[in-house]
């Protein structure tokens, strides 16, 4: 259990690091490129991530599963066989789809009115596939060995070199193509680091293993791997398409400049997903263990607490982003001061959609822990198709806001369907009265700061004031429980110079807590 929690924590830190790195990359690209080039870069990167997912064929989780299982049985021959069979599948997939994509680059560019520049970007993107195959393969192996630190190392190498080399190549005069080439070389260096780690730590234990008397044939093993990976790749493609649809539809309708402005708002709107992914990382192994122990009451407790604590943190964060969207944009993207005038309303709409998707993330994790990943996958596909249709219908009418409305409606559909299924599977009865109070408290706290001037200074002041008002409202409405106070105290004790005043504030809140949870 200790190793499981440690691994979850490391992956959580890696996820946060990866997201922070993504924000740094976007800020730097916006400062070095004009808004039209930035929009074109986002389109190229969208195709890049889809190509990477197809090239690895959804196999890394399957590799992790079977490597872990065969290690538990001390069958190192099958561990080695899983690795090499997976590599063959991934190489075949990457060759097929890279060839198709490379030859289609011109047609895609013509459809998007991107000209020779976009065609060159898309063709360059094709060359990332071999390195993504190596990275995907060995990250799956590292996960199977439960060496999460090794995954984090390769992620760090990927981020550091991708960002730094993209900047170097842009400054060297390659402009937007330099950003793509930098990301490709970053992947290549990360892939090399994965190979080095594998050879140093794991290869000696595998290279001389002998075939046992009985073993699974390669065709049967390939079938097992593909059966496991198919829902993974469908889910991955659906989620990617859900968020990237705008990058494929907006350019031919509105142009790359407006797409660039939309992609200033989109990453800010996705800030709530950091919260949900953090909770999901911890919840998945906890829910899996509870189901394995047949602890239905424990499962219900986990589910109820996960939704409650997600909303406790998520809703005030959404209020901050909605109210202070303009100064947040100025703070993160100072080189594009006009961004809010083009995409400010889209940001407000998208934040609501990402809140819906955050709830879906928790529900999907519970269903995975219950051994029922298929409903979440099906609902995600339904939402993705809905988003595609709605985006095509609404963008010509409402412009960028139409794309945001489409994503928000699709996220709401996914959330409702998946959460309803989660509650049905677990038999959880949510405390809707308490959840409603949390929502009202966040809304009232937001109203209290809504009249503040929309400046960066006001943003930082509100980050201090709004949580205090929020918790006071929660306290006065008897929404807080003893467990909440205990968690607030732990945070207060680790707040350095703010420890004493925060502990006094926590003691004041304690007066209103009547439960002994």
């Amino acid at each position: 259990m200790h190793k499981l929690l440690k691994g979850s924590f490391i992956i959580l830190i890696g996820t946060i690091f990866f997201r922070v790195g993504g924000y740094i990359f976007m800020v730097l690209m916006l400062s070095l490129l004009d808004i039209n080039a930035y929009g074109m870069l986002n389109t190229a990167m969208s195709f890049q991530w889809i190509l990477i997912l197809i090239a690895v064929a959804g196999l890394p989780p399957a590799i992790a599963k079977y490597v872990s299982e065969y290690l538990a049985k001390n069958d190192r021959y099958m561990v080695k066989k899983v690795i090499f069979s997976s590599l063959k599948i991934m190489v075949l997939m990457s060759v097929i789809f890279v060839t198709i994509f490379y030859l289609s680059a011109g047609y895609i560019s013509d459809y998007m009115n991107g000209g020779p520049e976009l065609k060159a970007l898309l063709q360059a993107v094709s060359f990332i596939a071999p390195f993504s195959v190596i990275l995907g393969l060995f990250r799956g192996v590292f996960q199977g060995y439960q060496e999460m630190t090794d995954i984090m190392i390769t992620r760090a190498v990927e981020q550091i070199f991708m960002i730094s080399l993209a900047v170097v190549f842009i400054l060297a005069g390659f402009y937007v193509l330099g950003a793509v080439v930098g990301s490709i070389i970053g992947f290549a260096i990360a892939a090399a680091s994965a190979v080095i780690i594998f050879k140093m730590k794991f290869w000696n234990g595998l290279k001389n293993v002998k075939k046992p008397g009985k073993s699974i044939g390669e065709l049967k093993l390939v079938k097992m791997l593909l059966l496991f990976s198919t829902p993974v790749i469908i889910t991955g493609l659906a989620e990617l398409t859900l968020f990237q649809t705008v990058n494929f539809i907006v350019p031919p309708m509105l142009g790359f400049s407006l797409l660039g402005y939309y992609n200033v708002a989109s990453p800010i709107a996705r800030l709530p997903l950091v919260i949900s992914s953090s909770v999901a990382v911890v919840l998945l192994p906890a829910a899996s263990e509870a189901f394995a122990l047949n602890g239905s009451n424990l499962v219900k407790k986990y589910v109820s607490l996960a939704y409650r604590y997600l909303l406790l943190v998520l809703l005030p964060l959404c209020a901050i982003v909605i109210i202070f969207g303009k100064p947040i944009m100025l703070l993160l993207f100072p080189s594009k001061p006009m961004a809010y005038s083009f995409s400010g309303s889209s940001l407000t709409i998208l934040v609501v959609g990402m809140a819906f998707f955050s709830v879906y993330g928790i529900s999907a994790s519970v269903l995975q822990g219950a051994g029922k990943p298929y409903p979440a996958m099906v609902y995600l596909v339904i939402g993705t198709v809905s988003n595609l249709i709605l985006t095509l219908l609404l963008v010509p009418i409402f412009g960028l806001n139409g794309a945001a409305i489409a994503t928000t409606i699709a996220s709401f559909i996914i959330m409702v369907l998946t959460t309803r299924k989660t509650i049905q599977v677990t038999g959880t009865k949510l405390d809707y009265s308490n959840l409603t109070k949390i929502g009202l408290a966040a809304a009232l706290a937001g109203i209290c700061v809504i009249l503040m001037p929309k400046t960066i200074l006001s943003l930082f002041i509100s980050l201090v004031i709004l949580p205090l008002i929020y918790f006071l409202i929660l306290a006065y409405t008897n929404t807080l429980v003893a467990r909440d106070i205990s968690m607030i105290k732990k945070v207060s004790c680790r707040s350095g110079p703010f420890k004493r005043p925060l502990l006094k504030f926590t003691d004041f809140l304690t007066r209103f807590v009547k439960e002994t949870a």
Side-chain angles (χ1 to χ4, degrees), residues 136-418:
L137 174 72
F138 289 117
R139 281 175 178 167
V141 173
F142 299 156
Q143 187 178 356
Y145 276 90
Q146 297 188 49
E147 294 291 344
M148 305 305 180
T149 304
D150 296 332
I151 298 176
M152 189 173 173
I153 290 170
T154 61
R155 281 190 177 276
V157 171
E158 174 194 328
Q159 286 278 356
I160 291 167
F161 282 96
M162 182 182 80
I163 294 169
S164 58
L165 290 174
V167 171
V168 168
F169 282 114
I170 291 173
L171 294 176
F174 291 95
Y175 207 49
V176 65
L177 181 61
V180 173
V181 172
S183 68
I184 293 171
I185 298 176
F187 262 82
I189 296 172
S193 72
V195 173
I196 292 169
I197 292 170
F198 177 75
K199 289 192 71 175
M200 289 176 60
K201 295 183 66 174
F202 309 110
W203 181 236
N204 286 336
L206 296 174
K207 64 181 179 180
N208 293 321
V209 292
K210 295 180 180 180
K211 183 178 180 180
K214 290 184 179 180
S215 65
I216 297 174
E218 186 161 27
L219 285 177
K220 185 175 181 180
L221 178 60
V222 167
K223 183 179 178 181
M224 288 166 52
L225 289 165
L226 291 177
L227 282 174
F228 188 90
S229 66
T230 298
V232 174
I233 194 170
I234 292 173
T235 302
L237 282 172
E239 186 169 340
L240 263 178
T241 306
L242 179 71
F243 292 125
Q244 307 299 334
T245 294
V246 65
N247 291 333
F248 309 134
I249 292 177
V250 166
M253 292 185 180
L254 304 177
F256 285 102
S257 293
L258 283 179
L259 175 64
Y261 284 118
Y262 187 89
N263 278 298
V264 173
S266 180
I268 297 172
R270 277 186 263 179
L271 280 170
L273 292 181
V274 177
I275 303 299
S276 65
S277 62
S278 301
V279 176
V281 165
V282 178
L283 180 62
L284 177 57
S288 298
E289 183 179 25
F291 275 107
L293 296 172
N294 200 25
S296 59
N297 290 330
L298 188 59
V299 171
K300 292 175 185 177
K301 181 179 178 181
Y302 282 150
V303 173
S304 180
L305 288 176
Y307 284 127
R308 185 173 183 274
Y309 282 116
L310 173 68
L311 294 183
L312 271 171
V313 179
L314 178 69
L315 295 182
L317 177 61
C318 289
I320 288 285
V321 175
I322 290 172
I323 295 169
F324 293 98
K326 186 174 183 178
I328 291 173
M329 279 190 178
L330 286 172
L331 185 65
L332 291 177
F333 306 105
S335 64
K336 299 295 181 288
M338 296 297 293
Y340 191 78
S341 61
F342 284 98
S343 58
S345 53
S346 299
L347 171 62
T348 300
I349 298 166
L350 273 175
V351 169
V352 177
M354 293 306 99
F356 293 149
F357 197 81
S358 295
V359 177
Y360 156 79
I362 297 300
S363 302
S365 287
V366 174
L367 289 175
Q368 288 174 18
K372 298 181 181 294
Y374 288 98
M377 178 192 74
V378 172
Y379 300 146
L380 183 59
V381 171
I382 291 171
T384 300
V385 173
S386 302
N387 182 49
L388 179 62
I389 295 170
L390 288 169
T391 303
L392 287 168
L393 293 174
L394 297 179
V395 167
I397 302 172
F398 300 107
L400 295 182
N401 289 342
I405 292 168
T407 301
T408 299
I409 293 173
S411 298
F412 179 76
I413 292 170
I414 296 168
M415 178 194 72
V416 169
L417 292 174
T418 312

Side-chain angles (χ1 to χ4, degrees), residues 105 109 115-125 177 180:
S109 180
E117 188 176 8
L118 181 60
K119 179 182 177 181
L121 292 178
L122 297 178
Q123 288 177 334
V125 159
L177 181 61
V180 173

Side-chain angles (χ1 to χ4, degrees), residues 55 94 98 125-135 191:
S94 66
V98 164
V125 159
S126 305
F127 293 100
I128 205 167
F131 308 118
S132 66
V133 164
I134 296 170
L135 263 181

